[in-house]
Amino acid sequence: MCGIVGYVGKKPVVDILLDGLEQLEYRGYDSSGIALKCADSIKVYKAEGKLKNLREELAPHAYELTKATTGIGHIRWATHGAPTVLNAHPHTCNCGNLTVVHNGIIENYKELKEELEAKGCTFRSQTDTETVAHLVASIYGQVKDLTKAVHLASEKIQGAYALCIMHNNEPNKIVVTKRNAPLIVGYGENEFYVASDIPAFIKHTKRAVYLSDNQVATLTPDSIVLEDEHGNKLEPKVELLPWEPIALSKMGYKHFMLKEIHEQPDVIRNILVGKLHTPEDPIVLDEVKLTRETLKNLNRIQIIACGTSLHAAMIGKYIIENFCGIPVDVEASSEYIYRKTVTDEHTLVIGVSQSGETADTLTAIKQSKAKGSHILIITNRPDSAMAREADSLIPVSAGIEVSVAATKSYIAQLTSFYLLALYMAEIKGTMAQSDLTALKAEMMLLPQKIEQILAHKEDIQKCARKYSGTRDFIYIARGINYPTALEGALKLKEISYINATGYSAGELKHGPIAMLDETMPVLSILMKGSVYEKLLSNSEEAKARNARMIALTNSTDEKLDDLFDFIIRVPDVIELLSPIVAMIPLQLIAYYIAEFLGKDVDQPRNLAKSVTVE
Ligand code: F6R
């Protein structure tokens, strides 16, 4: 999390930094700041909250700052210390000559801080980052060379970081380095850009170098000197980024989230192109690099992910086990990395991540790769750190998702899981041809069904209004839609801050039912199929405790009218594909409740789009 950007060249730097930070706002938005190399000093400007506050802070100085052509900037997602101006980056050493922006976490900052305080450094913030400023400055005092000082400081720092550092004595220079956090250098004409993600500079250049861990790059307007951790010079590998500058437009929608929800039919259509031609043709999935022989003999899969991607993974497990008969374990990456996991070269490990940068998932992937597992990555960012670890890469191609709450990337992940499971089932011969054909035919109809739901979104809006005053919300489901209940609840809590929880309906009577009374809305994801009757009974049990009952269903059964206070009807769909159809109204309910409550839908508090800290 956090976004960093830097520029060294001949152009006025302020707007380059501010525009770059704006593109990185998805990485956090607690505070922001920039440092500029001015005539005889480095000037630092910071503001709490969104970037617009920093713009306002800078406005009175606009003219005097136009001369600065070297600078670094930061947008923060607070980890250590509250989101205040004091804790905002850039951080400086005590004399103000050295300044740093940082993305990541310095794990040994307490020890470093003690050492530095003993040497006379005074800390002003509660951040881990400030230790870097003092550490590099104190080493600089001895070696008088910023690049050397950064090398020596890196040896002492533990944790994850991307760092951009400037020193007043070495004008027109930025030294950058990284470990387990993304950092990319963009090449211009007599200028260099640096950022934690491509959108920060893509409108200026498409030529870039991805820094590898522990490399140090020294950027001046005319040169880049790239070194490995021992100071050996390296030839930068310049890549042409497959990106167009993105016009981030809401296209008339009030929020990006609503726009992204509406894009979902096309997202599915785009994914199916070239992979699912007709219901009779086999699925084409050239992205899977396992041989047919290996796939046939594959007898274990592990899927690792976080948050919404974890919910997609849970549905992935359900369908892979159902279609292919392969046992699948699903685990949150943050748990996976801190226990003894049993994985080997016979296990397929699937990492799921819209951003491709989530620190826990990236670490988990690296751990299983080291044990010899084939790594398959499902991500919306084929240029991400996770994608670069992949043996097989399935880009979900949902297009850039601006809203922090994942919607279209989730539906894209699910669609990719269906394709993968069908592809494997066809190779393994685990499904009857008639079932395969029927499922593929139904998949091709999904975009239309979503369009039908979107065309009647006013009903869902009504439901949202009706329940927007609630403090708590329960979602229940069973079977393949249990993860849908979890995801529906996650969507609601992250953008409306309502305490929403998803339960497997069968578990309700083992504890959660105690919470039910006439104030509690219970939304039952009642899709026709193997667990329909069971879920109906569980809904009756909730109704008997006076809960405010809502059904999300594809059933036309009239007896539901007596049981439920509000019914959201969706087009008919087979049970195995119902998670895609059922999720759309849940996204809309979360959206409309948050919008009705006046919340910051696209940038909910405390969250960020890319979680690059463990
Ligand atoms: C919620 C959401 C998060 C992410 C999670 C993992 O809407 O987006 O729960 O799913 O932070 O992120 P990725 O998918 O980038 O690994």
Side-chain angles (χ1 to χ4, degrees):
M1 356 261 272
C2 301
I4 58 184
V5 59
Y7 172 81
V8 53
K10 311 267 193 268
K11 296 180 195 149
V13 71
V14 176
D15 284 342
I16 293 176
L17 297 181
L18 291 176
D19 291 350
L21 290 177
E22 194 170 321
Q23 299 298 323
L24 297 180
E25 247 188 330
Y26 73 88
R27 300 179 77 90
Y29 30 78
D30 289 337
S31 63
S32 53
I34 58 172
L36 310 168
K37 175 68 186 107
C38 296
D40 47 12
S41 67
I42 290 180
K43 291 198 168 151
V44 175
Y45 299 86
K46 306 182 190 189
E48 210 175 296
K50 298 269 181 78
L51 191 63
K52 68 175 175 36
N53 300 349
L54 180 63
R55 286 190 189 276
E56 281 164 20
E57 175 77 22
L58 284 162
H61 312 280
Y63 181 69
E64 58 178 295
L65 296 179
T66 48
K67 291 209 179 82
T69 58
T70 304
I72 54 181
H74 188 269
I75 192 138
R76 180 166 186 249
W77 184 84
T79 56
H80 293 67
T84 58
V85 169
L86 212 58
N87 289 331
H89 300 213
H91 288 284
T92 51
C93 64
N94 287 147
C95 70
N97 272 342
L98 184 135
T99 180
V100 58
V101 290
H102 165 223
N103 173 21
I105 290 183
I106 309 299
E107 281 167 6
N108 59 337
Y109 82 100
K110 285 200 178 119
E111 295 88 315
L112 291 173
K113 187 173 174 182
E114 271 170 30
E115 269 177 42
L116 290 158
E117 279 177 333
K119 284 187 188 164
C121 298
T122 309
F123 280 72
R124 288 161 293 208
S125 76
Q126 298 146 333
T127 63
D128 52 336
T129 304
E130 196 183 340
T131 52
V132 180
H134 294 298
L135 178 66
V136 182
S138 94
I139 299 174
Y140 185 88
Q142 293 150 27
V143 298
K144 307 278 184 245
D145 179 294
L146 187 56
T147 307
K148 249 190 215 154
V150 170
H151 271 295
L152 292 169
S154 308
E155 288 172 13
K156 303 193 87 181
I157 299 172
Q158 287 162 16
Y161 55 79
L163 296 166
C164 296
I165 305 175
M166 299 196 302
H167 198 291
N168 194 36
N169 295 353
E170 302 192 20
N172 305 323
K173 183 185 281 182
I174 305 175
V175 179
V176 304
T177 187
K178 64 146 264 176
R179 187 186 296 157
N180 290 329
L183 199 63
I184 306 138
V185 174
Y187 280 53
E189 285 299 318
N190 299 321
E191 60 183 8
F192 287 94
Y193 300 81
V194 60
S196 41
D197 201 358
I198 296 162
F201 61 70
I202 192 70
K203 79 172 190 198
H204 303 290
T205 179
K206 283 188 176 181
R207 294 170 60 233
V209 169
Y210 287 90
L211 253 60
S212 298
D213 283 350
N214 303 318
Q215 290 181 342
V216 175
T218 304
L219 311 174
T220 60
D222 308 310
S223 69
I224 170 171
V225 178
L226 185 66
E227 294 170 347
D228 69 10
E229 58 190 302
H230 309 295
N232 301 314
K233 301 266 180 302
L234 302 168
E235 195 53 48
K237 209 173 123 227
V238 185
E239 293 180 33
L240 201 58
L241 301 171
W243 276 65
E244 289 306 325
I246 303 144
L248 295 180
S249 151
K250 293 185 191 139
M251 309 288 283
Y253 291 98
K254 187 167 177 195
H255 295 101
F256 281 107
M257 181 174 175
L258 192 59
K259 169 182 167 252
E260 286 156 6
I261 290 173
H262 280 79
E263 284 170 353
Q264 295 178 117
D266 282 341
V267 166
I268 298 181
R269 284 189 187 103
N270 287 344
I271 296 176
L272 298 189
V273 169
K275 296 186 167 64
L276 172 52
H277 294 285
T278 72
E280 291 74 30
D281 287 323
I283 301 282
V284 181
L285 207 54
D286 296 337
E287 290 85 350
V288 178
K289 301 297 177 200
L290 289 163
T291 62
R292 292 177 78 84
E293 213 39 48
T294 313
L295 274 175
K296 269 187 190 156
N297 297 322
L298 194 66
N299 54 17
R300 185 157 179 250
I301 296 179
Q302 286 180 340
I303 316 183
I304 36 194
C306 299
T308 289
S309 298
L310 180 64
H311 299 150
M314 290 168 79
I315 293 174
K317 167 187 164 78
Y318 195 103
I319 54 181
I320 293 172
E321 289 190 340
N322 191 301
F323 297 1
C324 314
I326 306 174
V328 182
D329 300 318
V330 175
E331 194 165 348
S333 321
S334 49
E335 294 301 326
Y336 185 92
I337 56 183
Y338 291 114
R339 67 181 186 86
K340 190 175 166 202
T341 46
V342 185
T343 183
D344 56 23
E345 63 277 18
H346 306 298
T347 311
L348 168 64
V349 173
I350 304 180
V352 192
S353 170
Q354 50 87 17
S355 67
E357 299 289 352
T358 302
D360 290 321
T361 310
L362 187 57
T363 307
I365 289 299
K366 286 181 178 168
Q367 284 179 1
S368 18
K369 192 171 178 171
K371 290 183 182 165
S373 308
H374 184 97
I375 304 295
L376 187 150
I377 299 292
I378 297 178
T379 182
N380 198 27
R381 290 293 300 268
D383 55 335
S384 61
M386 244 177 260
R388 287 194 293 281
E389 296 292 329
D391 299 308
S392 298
L393 173 64
I394 303 190
V396 302
S397 315
I400 190 119
E401 190 174 61
V402 177
S403 184
V404 165
T407 53
K408 62 175 179 169
S409 63
Y410 174 74
I411 293 298
Q413 288 168 349
L414 289 188
T415 310
S416 302
F417 265 121
Y418 281 103
L419 288 174
L420 177 65
L422 286 169
Y423 174 76
M424 293 197 297
E426 282 176 339
I427 290 176
K428 288 175 84 74
T430 43
M431 272 175 93
Q433 192 54 46
S434 54
D435 292 344
L436 276 168
T437 311
L439 226 137
K440 286 190 273 185
E442 279 278 338
M443 265 188 88
M444 295 174 92
L445 296 176
L446 284 171
Q448 275 161 262
K449 294 188 180 181
I450 297 177
E451 274 159 359
Q452 284 173 38
I453 297 172
L454 294 173
H456 295 101
K457 57 180 185 276
E458 287 72 24
D459 296 341
I460 299 167
Q461 196 170 13
K462 266 189 218 144
C463 176
R465 290 242 158 153
K466 182 165 177 183
Y467 296 95
S468 59
T470 187
R471 228 187 37 181
D472 308 288
F473 218 111
I474 288 180
Y475 292 73
I476 56 171
R478 296 185 76 148
I480 194 168
N481 277 307
Y482 166 48
T484 312
L486 298 179
E487 177 58 11
L490 177 62
K491 283 287 90 71
L492 183 60
K493 65 187 145 202
E494 69 182 320
I495 61 170
S496 73
Y497 321 144
I498 289 171
N499 174 33
T501 314
Y503 289 111
S504 155
E507 283 294 299
L508 208 57
K509 54 185 158 303
H510 299 292
I513 202 164
M515 295 188 296
L516 302 191
D517 62 16
E518 62 289 346
T519 65
M520 182 69 85
V522 174
L523 189 150
S524 182
I525 304 167
L526 194 59
M527 305 303 278
K528 288 189 295 182
S530 56
V531 286
Y532 178 82
E533 293 298 336
K534 297 282 166 215
L535 190 57
L536 209 51
S537 307
N538 299 138
S539 304
E540 296 274 8
E541 289 157 13
K543 172 83 174 172
R545 272 78 191 177
N546 293 325
R548 304 166 74 191
M549 300 303 295
I550 308 158
L552 167 59
T553 186
N554 56 347
S555 161
T556 48
D557 187 348
E558 281 175 11
K559 73 172 180 260
L560 300 187
D561 296 340
D562 297 332
L563 177 52
F564 292 98
D565 308 323
F566 204 107
I567 300 181
I568 299 167
R569 287 211 155 81
V570 292
D572 205 8
V573 59
I574 55 169
E575 185 181 18
L576 282 168
L577 287 174
S578 62
I580 290 191
V581 169
M583 195 55 221
I584 313 302
L586 299 185
Q587 295 169 343
L588 287 167
I589 287 178
Y591 171 78
Y592 284 124
I593 290 183
E595 190 246 358
F596 186 64
L597 296 176
K599 303 295 183 203
D600 191 345
V601 172
D602 286 330
Q603 295 186 332
R605 71 183 183 201
N606 306 338
L607 292 178
K609 189 80 187 147
S610 176
V611 185
T612 55
V613 292
E614 276 189 12

